[in-house]
Amino acid sequence: MNAIAAGTELDRAALDELRSSFEGELIGSADPGYDEHRAIWNGSIDRRPVLIARCSSAADVIAALRFAKRTDLPLAVRAGGHSFPGQSVCDGGVVLDLRPMKAIRVDPDARTVTARAGVLLGELDRATQEFGLVVPAGIVTHTGVSGLTLGGGIGWVMRKYGLTVDQLLSAEVVTADGEIVRASEDENPDLFWGIRGGGGNFGVVTEFEFRLNPLGPGVLAGPIFWPMAESPRLLRFYRDWIAEAPDELMTIIVHRRAPPLPFVPTELHGEPVVAVVCCYAGSIEDGEKVIKPLRDFVRPVLDLCQPKPYLDHQAMFDPSYPHGRWYYMRSCDVAELSDEVIDTTAEHSMRIASPLTAFPIWQMGGAVARADDDSTAFNGRGAGHTFNITAMTESADGFDQEREWARGLWSALEPHHTDSVYVNFLMDEGPERVREAYGDERYDRLARLKRKYDPGNLFHLNQNIPPA
Ligand SMILES: Cc1cc2nc3c(=O)[nH]c(=O)nc-3n(C[C@H](O)[C@H](O)[C@H](O)COP(=O)(O)OP(=O)(O)OC[C@H]3O[C@@H](n4cnc5c(N)ncnc54)[C@H](O)[C@@H]3O)c2cc1C
């Protein structure tokens, strides 16, 4: 028996057929690197696929997909591996691993970029910032462009330029029946609508083409910290301050215990703090004026908001969300930071036990809210703020307690939840929650699209929308 099939019942003929055409690497449980390649970002997920197909091209994707169908094995699709609930790896099935597909092509004159499915945000930003250009995307450099885009894509410059999906010009998609199609406003527009927010339900996207926007390369950005006890007062001030803020300003509030990082004074290490992290996507001078009232509010304990390369700011959160820790998330949108929302948030944040737990509250609005709500499958353009309640521990130790903390805050905020929630911030919360994430009308439209493009629900290891 060869290494791949050790301990499994893999169909020998199907495997031989796959091997004859597959150009990438095929990894089974007995192969070196199996544990490395099945690991994903969330260390609390430990799943054992029978085969990891590391695809180097769309042809490889088709071959691996045919293999999964022929052997009737579940198929997981993996790019950056950042799925909170670990939907990009499965037990006893095939993982279609897109990470080797790395090419990026920037056309600075046309202001477009194409990225293959395995590209990470930091790689995309490095290539485009060479030309002072950007695709608005997320806030941690090792997130996959693929999964982030397919769910919507929120980040530091979305209030100025819109969501990541708002920049998508076209995509190359391998469908459930193994065909390569293009999706754009002109070609398969229904599919193009669905992949801009509907996740991986409709096919495997092998390439994305985005519009580029000017940015930096310098921005005024970084966190400003206060003791967490100031949170109720600070957030009341903050809500009035951002009400007048221009689209160039994007902020994220973080409650946590101050991390022992080199730029944090030792006396703050482990102390509960609240930070407003800013990114001003305009001139440094204008940014200084806009941010001044926040600085003047109450003297911060640490002010790290300063001019810096956008690439540095993009990497700022990387040390706080590394691979392999145990993570649990709950998410909700709220319309506004009412007194009750603020007080509930502050009160629960004081109970954070883990020194690692850090959770973002995203300021939404701006260009995201102005885009036509029907233009993409993304739901939640009207949200005021997105809560991304993240519990984090180094390992299983203390994880259950921290998870209960996250659930507790989410439940306490329940009276204030709007009727949207960002699909990329869901855990494995059941079919009703996926429907809630999209709302009935959008969900039904997505389910009809699913019937057209994937009637057998081959792509079901995701925030699944079963065919209508
Ligand atoms: C540390 C961290 C930071 C984050 N920051 C942000 C942020 O700033 N903004 C934001 O919007 N989101 C953010 N997210 C959420 C992120 O958008 C989702 O976790 C997203 O799914 C990650 O994509 P991925 O390719 O890394 O994940 P994967 O786990 O590889 O994939 C996620 C899902 O997408 C499917 N999928 C992936 N690639 C493809 C493809 N090419 N074709 C079809 N289906 C595919 C997978 O099957 C899986 O269901 C963050 C997540 C983490 C863990």
Side-chain angles (χ1 to χ4, degrees):
M1 190 174 278
N2 58 50
I4 274 183
T8 71
E9 298 288 323
L10 274 187
D11 177 324
R12 168 68 69 152
L15 192 57
D16 286 346
E17 185 190 310
L18 175 62
R19 277 215 174 95
S20 68
S21 64
F22 198 81
E23 290 186 336
E25 202 183 351
L26 295 171
I27 297 175
S29 60
D31 288 307
Y34 174 73
D35 284 334
E36 176 200 332
H37 289 297
R38 75 185 175 86
I40 58 164
W41 170 79
N42 188 346
S44 75
I45 309 287
D46 178 19
R47 300 201 179 121
R48 303 184 67 82
V50 291
L51 182 68
I52 302 168
R54 293 184 41 80
C55 302
S56 60
S57 63
D60 278 356
V61 170
I62 294 170
L65 190 149
R66 291 210 168 116
F67 172 80
K69 283 170 84 166
R70 181 169 165 185
T71 53
D72 212 15
L73 288 169
L75 179 71
V77 179
R78 183 217 168 115
H82 270 210
S83 159
F84 291 167
Q87 289 169 329
S88 40
V89 63
C90 56
D91 277 323
V94 177
V95 171
L96 209 152
D97 185 351
L98 302 167
R99 278 176 295 175
M101 298 173 66
K102 283 288 188 195
I104 302 174
R105 210 171 48 248
V106 183
D107 182 339
D109 297 326
R111 287 203 174 163
T112 60
V113 59
T114 54
R116 300 298 281 171
V119 170
L120 304 180
L121 297 191
E123 295 162 344
L124 183 65
D125 284 332
R126 270 201 300 282
T128 59
Q129 277 287 280
E130 277 288 309
F131 304 95
L133 298 169
V134 76
V135 179
I139 60 167
V140 172
T141 64
H142 44 76
T143 311
V145 168
S146 274
L148 176 130
T149 303
L150 293 170
I154 63 176
W156 287 123
V157 290
M158 67 172 165
R159 286 174 34 82
K160 184 165 167 71
Y161 292 125
L163 300 166
T164 312
V165 281
D166 296 334
Q167 326 304 318
L168 194 64
L169 296 172
S170 70
E172 178 187 88
V173 186
V174 173
T175 60
D177 49 15
E179 300 296 320
I180 299 181
V181 300
R182 282 208 82 77
S184 69
E185 291 292 359
D186 303 322
E187 289 176 88
N188 303 301
D190 56 351
L191 179 61
F192 188 53
W193 178 83
I195 60 171
R196 287 177 294 162
N201 272 288
F202 309 104
V204 181
V205 177
T206 43
E207 184 174 88
F208 298 85
E209 181 195 12
F210 296 105
R211 179 188 309 113
L212 285 165
N213 307 274
L215 184 76
V219 290
L220 179 67
I224 307 176
F225 294 85
W226 291 265
M228 202 190 282
E230 289 286 359
S231 175
R233 210 151 62 104
L234 173 69
L235 296 195
R236 281 171 171 80
F237 165 82
Y238 166 89
R239 122 187 118 188
D240 298 338
W241 172 61
I242 57 164
E244 305 297 323
D247 292 352
E248 279 74 13
L249 180 72
M250 165 64 196
T251 57
I252 292 179
I253 302 162
V254 176
H255 289 80
R256 66 165 305 158
R257 289 172 180 275
L261 293 172
F263 48 81
V264 178
T266 39
E267 65 273 17
L268 274 184
H269 292 181
E271 291 298 314
V273 288
V274 54
V276 177
V277 191
C278 303
C279 179
Y280 192 82
S283 79
I284 305 289
E285 298 72 42
D286 290 350
E288 294 285 7
K289 281 186 213 139
V290 169
I291 290 168
K292 187 170 184 306
L294 177 69
R295 290 191 156 123
D296 289 348
F297 157 66
V298 166
R299 204 177 147 74
V301 287
L302 184 62
D303 183 348
L304 299 171
C305 184
Q306 55 209 29
K308 61 180 68 155
Y310 177 68
L311 289 180
D312 288 0
H313 184 58
Q314 275 291 79
M316 183 202 82
F317 274 124
D318 288 4
S320 299
Y321 300 96
H323 287 268
R325 284 185 183 161
W326 284 42
Y327 295 95
Y328 179 80
M329 275 92 181
R330 292 308 301 265
S331 184
C332 59
D333 288 347
V334 300
E336 56 175 2
L337 294 179
S338 63
D339 286 354
E340 266 181 63
V341 169
I342 289 174
D343 292 340
T344 303
T345 303
E347 185 196 322
H348 281 254
S349 299
M350 288 304 284
R351 294 189 219 140
I352 292 173
S354 168
L356 304 178
T357 288
F359 79 97
I361 305 172
W362 302 66
Q363 177 194 1
M364 301 298 291
V368 174
R370 277 195 304 277
D372 174 6
D373 195 34
D374 285 336
S375 61
T376 68
F378 178 85
N379 192 29
R381 289 186 186 272
H385 299 269
T386 289
F387 274 70
N388 185 195
I389 308 167
T390 309
M392 196 190 311
T393 55
E394 203 60 70
S395 62
D397 272 355
F399 185 65
D400 290 354
Q401 179 190 351
E402 211 60 5
R403 186 174 52 198
E404 282 316 304
W405 168 81
R407 287 176 175 155
L409 173 53
W410 185 87
S411 299
L413 289 171
E414 219 168 345
H416 310 282
H417 294 182
T418 64
D419 57 3
S420 64
V421 55
Y422 181 27
V423 73
N424 270 356
F425 288 170
L426 290 182
M427 293 299 281
D428 212 342
E429 298 175 38
E432 265 315 300
R433 188 82 174 127
V434 180
R435 177 179 272 279
E436 271 173 39
Y438 289 107
D440 285 341
E441 200 178 317
R442 204 179 298 266
Y443 182 91
D444 291 343
R445 181 171 169 187
L446 286 164
R448 290 195 297 277
L449 197 63
K450 179 79 169 174
R451 186 175 60 203
K452 176 172 171 189
Y453 284 98
D454 183 17
N457 207 359
L458 175 69
F459 305 113
H460 63 277
L461 295 177
N462 43 38
Q463 298 298 350
N464 194 231
I465 300 165

